[in-house]
Amino acid sequence: MQLDDLYRRVIMDHYKNPRNRGTFEDEAVSIDLNNPTCGDKIQLQMQVEDGKVAAAKFLGEGCSISLSSASMMTEAVKGKTLQEALELAEKFSGLMKGEAVEFEYEDIEALSGVNKFPARIKCATLAWNALRKGIEQSQKH
């Protein structure tokens, strides 16, 4: 099987079977972002406890890249300190710039081909930008 085919399957699996889709009933940091160029929307919620992302969930509308990236990101940040989560977001930015980076949560690497399509980079980074804003917001409280 070609690597591109494998990556496409991973992306479609996260799109069709999103991890951590939904909202929290308890208190959570909540960020709403959208990408006006394509209409993608995301609401990210995070429960932050003792400087760590205890849990993260999202709701959204958009393309397979946007929603699968949100699914992957919520899986990757669980249990990470806020600093580690920010570092993951920076690594993801590097991936979108074509840098060779590896992730502990390997599904994220399936999005590496997105950098060949500049218009889609905003789709892939939407959830990660929400993560950054959520961390900023949680550090102000």
Side-chain angles (χ1 to χ4, degrees), residues 4-131:
D4 285 347
D5 290 338
L6 176 63
Y7 283 173
R8 200 170 292 119
R9 286 183 184 185
V10 170
I11 290 167
M12 290 311 293
D13 180 50
H14 277 273
Y15 178 62
K16 291 178 179 172
N17 307 296
R19 284 48 154 194
N20 308 304
R21 187 173 186 98
T23 56
F24 292 109
E25 295 193 15
D26 300 337
E27 191 172 318
V29 175
S30 187
I31 300 295
D32 292 299
L33 281 185
N34 68 12
N35 178 354
T37 56
C38 67
D40 291 345
K41 295 177 182 170
I42 186 167
Q43 178 189 55
L44 174 66
Q45 290 189 330
M46 295 187 310
Q47 291 182 323
V48 178
E49 297 169 7
D50 300 322
K52 288 188 175 181
V53 179
K57 289 188 177 192
F58 76 99
L59 290 175
E61 296 174 13
C63 68
S64 60
I65 299 293
S66 174
L67 297 180
S68 62
S69 183
S71 173
M72 293 173 193
M73 183 273 296
T74 58
E75 282 290 285
V77 299
K78 270 194 269 183
K80 301 283 187 220
T81 66
L82 296 179
Q83 185 58 41
E84 289 168 335
L86 276 176
E87 289 167 9
L88 270 176
E90 285 306 308
K91 268 176 85 170
F92 189 77
S93 289
L95 184 71
M96 291 298 103
K97 292 174 186 162
E99 296 170 13
V101 293
E102 292 182 12
F103 292 87
E104 188 179 315
Y105 185 68
E106 294 176 353
D107 284 10
I108 295 170
E109 294 168 26
L111 294 167
S112 62
V114 170
N115 66 26
K116 296 178 186 118
F117 306 96
R120 304 307 297 274
I121 292 173
K122 285 185 179 180
C123 304
T125 57
L126 186 63
W128 295 88
N129 291 336
L131 172 67

